[in-house]
């Protein structure tokens, strides 16, 4: 009412009000549908009401079924929507476009029924999730839906992880939108616990979270011993290094705790001097946490969330400084507030994934296939309400609780409670109406209910208790019999709306029996299983086992391409490279200029600033963060490279982009392998184009052919960048190599969407030998490649006149 009064104060006979009573779903924010109704009535008396009933979104068959089911529930003012889609996009459907997947609540606890490994929940909810995931998989396989056009909507997010895992077990990528999605992810919580413990080792919740996580991996018994010995200060006991605690632990736990104590103590000392994203990257690399994540179901998406946390950490540091505690507190606050932070995309662009979100988050949006899940979840009651009031009527109601637990309802409590229940029930009906009207081409409604007897409607009854009868025209006899499991139902409402509905009965005696499902679970893990398709459908041929999921970085692939044997010695066996002085046969270390790798790292960090500041003002601070002190000449050289690019035309182009991401991690699928990497700059330009910029601090003279240099040294990287962007949805992508010694001569390559398959084939051909476990010696040995190789002197098949020669021309 107050909002409306403010509008009326501004009204000069030009106030135009738009609203939809059927989509009034914000009672929890004190929205009152009666305000809209009274305003509409007042305007109707003067003939100043227009009703819009055309729908440009949904197919007519969906609208007819929605109208037939909801008109009796939403009352005499219900506005039936009519289809107004372009004729060219309306095709005859082979069957009903509205489906009800009905799962019986009884019988799923039978040991003979295998539902696979899912997050904690009731067995019947697991059965519902399996059936819904299988239905989505069937639609995708049949070409009737694309994953990115499918959304699964929930009234509440309590059981979202169950449905998410069931979809992932069907090899469907998922993307949780809103709610506790991103900040509640275990990978995010593990790494935020690490930051919290670094900031304050006496944060016991964080410390034990780290110890129990894959970052350390202590057993439950070891955690109990640590707690008993620590008595409120576990880190003091762990860091003391005495024998009392280790003597109680198993050998593997003792070793893990010792490694943790050394690493954690060292990281605490370094923490004030390192960037927040670097702290995260160091612990991920040191513990091989990324490999653990990739072995999990949906590993690619989980790893993308790890990379996203590093980017968020870098952004937080730019805005708030190097505050480890502050970032950890932000993550906790966002989790508790259920902040809407989406999962990270798996590739450079938008992910092609099934989305999961609340109905409220989906309001105003539309999707090709809408699945409304968990409709068997009961609504919370109102048992904790002790005071009710209606400011419009002045009524007040109290519930007085005695010492013995009894309660008395006083004044107008019961009348106010009954009205509040009715308001809530009507709003719940409108919420489901909003969910159903998000669908363009197909609507799937899924829920669990006790079929014998059918649940009675009531204040806390599940939505399915009234929705299923409404969809069936009020006649539960339209449900399929146990022996048929599926039935198409058609009925005509009094107003002429024809409801067409396909009902699938998911019960242990029918389609609930499960088949083995293809899974990306790690070797040796229990394979998840999913319900069989309905009895009328032909059984699919068993699919070939999915290839083992492997991961490699593009730098590893490029290194293998230069010399497979050197890659084997250094990357797989871990043999250290020979120091440059010893490799050259010199008696003392070479008194060289700044190490080229450190020089490149410092330049990159200077260029990451957004907006950039003069490099000369920041170079000392960046160097100090890495524990080095530069000479005046070295500092000037590093600043020169950064400032040269900052004033280049390519830098100005990046500044004009619609959005820019720096140090952007990505993962792109290459057959059964995941290629990971980080781009220096990802700029989104107008028209769906993307610009990838890679800074190169290579020492090149003016005579170097930059085009040939990129092809020889960065050809693999170039293809990976382009493929990742195109697979991520970019209409066009340009990859630009910015050689900082020659900033006005970037090497730029353009790619279109049609190039994606060719790029993938080229990368698969380049990686074939590596993935097959082959490590050939290079056929083009030279000094730059071989000088520091640990196998050059004793193991290499090439003589020194080849391994120490200048690089041959390609």
């Amino acid at each position: 009412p107050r909002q409306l009064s403010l509008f009326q104060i501004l009204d000069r006979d030009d106030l135009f009000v738009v609203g939809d009573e059927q989509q009034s779903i914000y009672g929890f924010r004190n929205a009152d549908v009666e305000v809209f109704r009274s305003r509409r009535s007042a305007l109707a008396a003067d003939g100043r009401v227009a009703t819009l009933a055309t729908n440009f979104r949904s197919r007519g068959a969906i609208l007819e079924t929605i109208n037939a089911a909801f008109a009796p529930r939403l009352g005499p003012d219900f506005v039936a929507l009519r289809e107004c889609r372009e004729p060219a996009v309306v095709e005859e459907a082979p069957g009903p476009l509205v489906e009800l997947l009905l799962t019986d609540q009884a019988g799923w606890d039978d040991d003979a029924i295998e539902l696979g490994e899912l997050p904690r929940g009731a067995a019947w909810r697991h059965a519902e999730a399996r059936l819904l995931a299988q239905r989505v998989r069937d639609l995708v396989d049949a070409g009737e839906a694309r994953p990115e056009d499918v959304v699964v909507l929930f009234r509440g997010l309590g059981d979202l992880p169950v449905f998410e895992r069931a979809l992932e077990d069907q090899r469907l990528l998922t993307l949780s939108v809103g709610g506790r999605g991103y900040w509640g992810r275990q990978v995010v919580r593990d790494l935020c616990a690490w930051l919290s413990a670094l900031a304050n080792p006496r944060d016991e919740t964080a410390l034990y979270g780290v110890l129990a996580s894959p970052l350390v991996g202590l057993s439950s018994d070891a955690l109990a011993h640590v707690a008993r010995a620590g008595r409120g200060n576990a880190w003091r006991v762990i860091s003391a290094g005495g024998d009392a605690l280790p003597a109680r632990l198993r050998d593997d736990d003792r070793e893990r705790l010792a490694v943790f104590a050394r690493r954690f103590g060292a990281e605490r000392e370094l923490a004030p001097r390192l960037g927040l994203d670097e702290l995260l990257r160091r612990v991920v690399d040191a513990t091989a946490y990324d490999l653990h994540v990739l072995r999990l179901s949906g590993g690619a998406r989980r790893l993308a969330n790890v990379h996203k946390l590093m980017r968020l950490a870098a952004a937080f540091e730019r805005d708030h400084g190097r505050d480890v505690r502050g970032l950890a507190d932000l993550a906790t606050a966002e989790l508790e507030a259920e902040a809407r932070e989406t999962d990270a995309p798996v590739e450079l662009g938008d992910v092609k994934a099934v989305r999961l979100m609340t109905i409220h988050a989906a309001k105003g949006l539309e999707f090709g296939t809408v699945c409304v899940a968990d409709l068997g979840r009961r609504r919370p009651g109102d048992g904790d309400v002790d005071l009710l009031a209606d400011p419009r009527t002045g009524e007040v109601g109290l519930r007085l609780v005695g010492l013995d637990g009894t309660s008395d309802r006083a004044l107008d409590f019961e009348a106010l409670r009954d009205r509040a229940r009715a308001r809530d029930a009507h709003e719940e009906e409108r919420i489901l109406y909003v969910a159903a009207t998000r669908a363009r081409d197909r609507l799937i409604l899924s829920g669990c209910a006790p079929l014998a007897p059918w649940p009675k409607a009531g204040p806390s009854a599940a939505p399915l208790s009234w929705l299923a009868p409404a969809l069936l025209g009020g006649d539960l006899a339209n449900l399929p019999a146990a022996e048929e499991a599926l039935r198409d139902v058609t009925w005509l409402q009094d107003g002429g709306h024809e409801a067409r509905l396909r009902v699938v009965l998911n019960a242990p005696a029918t389609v609930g029996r499960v088949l083995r499902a293809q899974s990306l679970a790690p070797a040796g893990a229990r394979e998840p299983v999913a319900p069989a398709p309905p009895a009328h459908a032909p059984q699919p041929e068993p699919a070939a086992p999915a290839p083992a999921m492997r991961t490699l970085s593009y730098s590893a692939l490029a290194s293998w391409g230069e010399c497979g044997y050197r890659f084997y010695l250094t990357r797989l066996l871990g043999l250290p490279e020979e120091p440059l002085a010893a490799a050259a046969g010199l008696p003392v270390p070479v008194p060289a200029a700044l190490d080229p790798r450190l020089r490149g790292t410092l330049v990159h960090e200077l260029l990451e600033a957004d907006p950039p500041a003069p490099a000369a003002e920041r170079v000392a601070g960046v160097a100090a963060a890495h524990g080095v002190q530069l000479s005046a000449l070295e500092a000037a050289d590093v600043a020169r490279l950064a400032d040269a690019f900052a004033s280049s035309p390519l830098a100005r182009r990046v500044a004009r982009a619609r959005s820019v991401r720096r140090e952007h991690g990505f993962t792109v699928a290459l057959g059964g392998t995941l290629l990971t990497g980080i781009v220096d700059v990802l700029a989104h330009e107008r028209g769906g184009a993307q610009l990838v910029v890679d800074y190169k601090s290579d020492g090149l003279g003016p005579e170097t052919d930059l085009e040939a240099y990129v092809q020889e040294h960065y050809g693999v990287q170039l293809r990976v960048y382009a493929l990742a962007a195109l697979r991520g949805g970019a209409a066009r992508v340009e990859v630009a190599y910015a050689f900082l010694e020659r900033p006005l001569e970037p090497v730029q390559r353009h790619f279109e969407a049609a190039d994606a398959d060719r790029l993938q084939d080229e990368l698969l051909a380049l990686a074939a030998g590596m993935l097959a476990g082959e490590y050939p010696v290079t056929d083009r040995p030279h000094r730059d490649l071989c000088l520091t190789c640990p196998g050059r002197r004793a193991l290499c098949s090439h003589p020194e006149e080849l391994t120490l020669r200048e690089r041959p021309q390609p």
Side-chain angles (χ1 to χ4, degrees):
R2 182 169 299 169
Q3 288 175 332
L4 182 58
S5 67
L6 292 174
F7 280 118
Q8 290 174 321
I9 291 172
L10 299 173
D11 185 11
R12 298 296 182 269
D13 293 326
D14 59 358
L15 178 61
F16 189 84
V17 181
V18 179
D20 186 351
E21 174 183 336
Q22 291 160 204
Q23 296 195 58
S24 176
I25 62 172
Y26 288 97
F28 67 94
R29 293 181 182 168
N30 299 316
D32 186 353
V33 70
E34 291 301 329
V35 174
F36 175 81
R37 289 171 176 166
S38 61
R39 178 68 177 171
R40 181 180 58 197
S41 297
L43 294 173
D46 297 333
R48 292 193 289 165
V49 170
T51 300
L52 304 178
T54 52
N55 179 295
F56 296 90
R57 172 188 299 150
S58 305
R59 289 194 179 196
I62 296 177
L63 293 176
E64 287 289 301
T65 301
I66 292 174
N67 291 338
F70 282 89
R73 304 292 303 189
L74 299 186
D77 292 326
F78 176 79
V79 176
L81 299 179
R82 61 179 182 271
E83 179 186 19
C84 196
R85 281 176 57 153
E86 291 293 333
V89 298
V90 179
E91 305 111 7
E92 284 295 325
L97 298 180
V98 180
E99 303 176 18
L100 175 62
L101 308 184
L102 183 60
T103 298
D104 192 354
Q105 284 189 356
W108 296 102
D109 293 316
D110 188 339
D111 291 340
I113 299 174
E114 177 59 68
L115 291 169
E117 297 293 339
L118 288 175
R120 182 177 300 177
W124 46 266
R125 183 165 280 118
H126 287 181
E128 177 196 349
R130 291 295 190 198
L131 180 66
L132 180 60
Q134 182 67 57
R135 182 62 184 130
V136 175
R137 179 78 261 176
D138 291 344
L139 290 172
V140 171
D141 289 346
E144 297 180 45
R146 298 182 301 175
E148 63 269 28
D149 291 335
V150 178
V151 68
V152 183
L153 300 181
F154 299 88
R155 181 64 181 90
L157 295 174
D159 285 295
L160 181 146
V162 174
F163 290 83
E164 180 180 52
R165 176 62 184 275
L167 289 162
E168 289 173 350
D169 285 347
Q170 291 291 340
R171 290 194 280 180
L172 292 163
L173 290 176
T174 62
L175 180 63
S176 177
V177 180
R180 295 167 66 92
Y182 177 77
W183 294 107
R185 298 299 182 197
Q186 193 61 54
V187 294
V188 177
R189 294 172 66 182
D190 286 348
L191 294 174
C192 287
W194 174 263
L195 293 178
S196 297
L198 282 180
N200 177 18
R202 295 204 62 172
D203 183 342
E204 297 282 282
T205 301
L207 183 62
Y208 281 108
V210 171
L211 295 175
S213 77
L215 297 171
V216 180
L218 289 190
S219 67
S220 298
D221 287 346
L223 293 173
H225 285 305
V226 171
R228 181 176 297 176
R231 299 182 181 279
N233 194 344
W235 172 238
R236 181 181 60 189
V237 174
I238 294 171
S239 60
D243 295 332
L245 176 59
R248 303 175 190 172
L249 304 179
R250 300 191 318 238
D251 289 346
D252 56 341
D253 283 326
R254 186 183 307 116
E255 182 179 352
R256 290 189 181 103
L257 193 62
V259 171
F260 164 73
R262 292 193 299 271
R263 177 179 299 130
F264 188 72
E267 290 299 296
R268 272 184 51 77
E269 293 182 5
L270 286 172
R273 302 197 300 273
L274 296 179
L276 300 179
D277 57 331
E278 181 64 17
L279 286 174
L280 293 172
R281 185 172 290 113
R282 285 170 64 88
V283 71
V284 168
D285 291 344
T287 61
Y289 188 71
D290 50 351
L291 298 180
H292 159 77
V293 167
L294 281 169
R295 285 192 292 265
L296 300 175
S297 175
R301 198 231 27 233
R302 296 173 195 264
L303 184 60
N305 280 335
V306 171
H307 292 155
K308 176 173 181 173
L309 183 62
M310 294 177 187
R311 296 195 299 275
L312 291 174
F316 180 88
E317 183 174 338
R318 285 196 298 269
D319 295 338
H320 304 284
R322 194 165 292 168
D323 184 357
V324 179
R325 178 79 258 170
L327 177 59
D329 289 345
L330 171 68
T332 300
E334 296 286 76
L335 175 65
E336 293 175 350
E338 298 190 356
R340 292 185 179 181
E341 182 68 44
T342 64
D343 281 323
V346 176
E347 297 174 353
L348 279 175
D350 294 332
V351 66
K352 305 297 188 293
V354 176
R355 284 160 170 78
L356 300 95
M357 64 177 70
T358 64
I359 297 172
H360 281 86
K363 189 174 186 294
L365 305 179
E366 61 182 65
F367 306 89
T369 297
V370 170
C371 308
V372 188
D374 207 14
L375 292 172
R377 173 182 288 274
R378 294 176 62 85
R379 292 173 51 206
D382 52 11
D384 295 332
V385 178
D386 297 319
L387 172 64
L388 293 172
D390 188 339
R392 290 175 297 190
T393 63
E395 296 170 284
V396 175
L398 293 172
R399 176 163 48 197
L400 307 176
V401 181
L403 289 176
D404 59 354
T406 60
S407 63
D408 291 322
R409 299 176 180 87
L411 304 176
D412 301 307
F413 184 88
E414 292 191 1
L416 290 171
R417 181 201 60 193
D418 292 343
R419 293 210 295 269
R421 285 178 174 176
R423 283 197 306 272
D424 291 345
H426 291 317
E427 179 157 310
E428 289 296 322
E429 294 167 357
R430 296 194 295 271
I431 288 172
L432 291 185
Y433 177 82
V434 168
T437 51
R438 301 307 94 201
R440 290 195 303 264
D441 301 308
R442 188 177 300 273
L443 173 63
I444 299 174
L445 304 160
S446 173
C448 301
L451 300 185
W454 185 261
K456 295 181 179 179
S460 61
L464 200 62
S465 65
W466 67 264
L467 181 59
L471 288 167
L472 295 167
D475 188 0
L476 289 175
N478 284 327
L479 289 174
E483 61 273 9
E484 60 179 330
L486 181 145
R487 177 180 292 180
D488 288 348
V489 178
T490 302
W491 58 277
L492 190 66
Q493 188 201 2
D494 292 342
H497 298 295
E498 182 182 70
R500 300 181 65 226
L501 181 72
R502 172 163 292 173
V503 186
V504 176
L505 180 61
N506 186 29
T510 57
V511 296
R513 296 298 178 185
V514 294
L515 297 175
R516 283 283 170 187
Q518 293 300 312
S519 169
L520 293 182
R526 186 180 185 185
E527 275 195 300
V529 291
H536 74 287
Q539 299 297 322
E541 291 294 326
M549 184 61 71
R550 290 166 290 187
T551 179
L552 67 150
S553 66
Y554 58 70
S555 63
L557 181 55
S559 177
W560 179 90
E562 288 187 320
C563 179
Y565 192 57
R566 179 190 171 106
F567 174 86
Y568 176 77
L569 295 176
T570 57
R571 298 285 188 107
L572 299 186
L573 297 186
L575 299 181
E577 295 184 353
E578 284 200 44
L580 185 60
L586 301 175
V588 293
V590 177
L594 188 62
D595 178 79
R597 280 184 251 187
L598 177 59
R599 177 177 181 254
T601 298
L602 298 179
V603 173
H604 273 67
E605 292 196 14
L606 290 172
L607 289 169
E608 286 170 23
D610 190 15
E617 299 175 5
R618 297 178 290 118
V619 65
V622 171
H626 286 269
V628 296
Q629 185 172 358
L630 303 180
S631 68
L633 289 176
E634 290 169 342
D637 174 57
V638 171
R640 172 185 63 83
L641 291 181
D643 286 338
F645 175 78
S647 60
S648 69
L650 186 59
R652 291 194 292 272
R653 178 178 168 189
V654 170
R656 293 194 301 269
R658 294 170 56 192
S659 65
V660 177
R661 298 175 183 175
R662 303 180 189 276
E663 286 295 295
H664 179 65
F666 67 89
T667 305
V668 61
L670 184 65
T673 302
L674 294 177
L675 277 174
T676 63
I678 298 174
V679 296
D680 292 334
V681 174
L682 173 64
H684 291 262
E685 300 184 304
R686 298 188 181 280
Q690 292 181 9
L691 170 66
V692 176
V693 179
D694 197 75
Y695 307 130
K696 294 301 180 188
S697 57
D698 307 38
L700 303 176
E703 73 287 348
T704 303
D705 183 339
L706 296 184
E707 290 279 352
Y709 189 84
V710 166
Q711 182 60 37
E712 180 178 1
H713 294 271
Y714 302 115
V716 172
Q717 185 187 67
L718 172 70
R719 292 174 173 87
V720 172
Y721 284 163
L723 179 63
L726 294 174
R727 289 289 189 232
R732 298 174 304 283
V733 61
E734 179 181 334
V735 181
Y737 283 89
F739 289 94
L740 304 180
E741 292 286 2
R742 294 162 62 176
L744 301 181
E745 304 174 59
V747 176
Q748 297 161 289
R749 298 285 180 83
H750 297 80
F751 301 89
E752 304 288 337
D755 295 321
D757 290 342
R758 173 181 60 80
L759 290 168
Q760 176 169 292
D761 291 342
E762 291 175 0
L763 286 169
L764 283 171
L766 290 169
M770 183 180 185
L771 298 179
E774 301 169 359
Y775 304 103
V777 177
T778 180
D779 58 359
R780 296 179 67 246
H782 55 85
R783 179 185 178 87
D784 293 345
L785 173 64
C786 306
L787 183 60
T788 58
C789 175
R792 179 177 66 84
R793 297 179 185 275
L795 302 175
C796 185
S797 57
H798 290 299
E800 282 199 346
E801 57 263 26
L802 294 181
T803 59
L804 297 182
R805 65 178 174 173
E806 294 299 321
R807 179 191 295 267
Q809 293 300 314

